[in-house]
Amino acid sequence: MKYEINNNTKSLIAKEIDTITTKIPSTNKIVTISNILYIPKLGVNLLSISKLTIKGAKINLSNIIEIILQDKILTTGYYKNNLSLIKLEL
């Protein structure tokens, strides 16, 4: 994964690729997410919107965040410091 800060390109190395099973706290639904990249130096976890939509999910990014699968809201989130946040239990 490459990113740029002040015109200086840096790289982050994914330590492993894995599949996780997680519980969505807002719905108590158990879901499995595959091809998760673990990047220790990143400090936060990222979830790819494009990969979710390829799998059939719909994403609502208005005042709140909603991830919708099979016409049901899977989870919701919110914005903090210009980041979109959702809660998953690992």
Side-chain angles (χ1 to χ4, degrees), residues 19-22 30-34:
T19 297
I20 63 165
T21 300
T22 182
I30 304 294
V31 296
T32 299
I33 306 170
S34 58

Side-chain angles (χ1 to χ4, degrees), residues 19-72:
T19 297
I20 63 165
T21 300
T22 182
K23 182 169 112 179
I24 308 294
S26 60
T27 61
N28 286 326
K29 186 171 181 130
I30 304 294
V31 296
T32 299
I33 306 170
S34 58
N35 296 318
I36 299 291
L37 298 177
Y38 174 58
I39 305 171
K41 290 186 177 183
L42 191 56
V44 295
N45 297 314
L46 302 176
L47 189 58
S48 170
I49 290 175
S50 62
K51 287 194 178 192
L52 287 171
T53 57
I54 287 169
K55 295 291 186 178
K58 296 177 185 173
I59 312 297
N60 178 5
L61 296 172
S62 56
N63 292 334
I64 63 167
I65 300 154
E66 294 176 324
I67 299 176
I68 303 162
L69 190 60
Q70 298 173 345
D71 295 323
K72 294 180 183 171

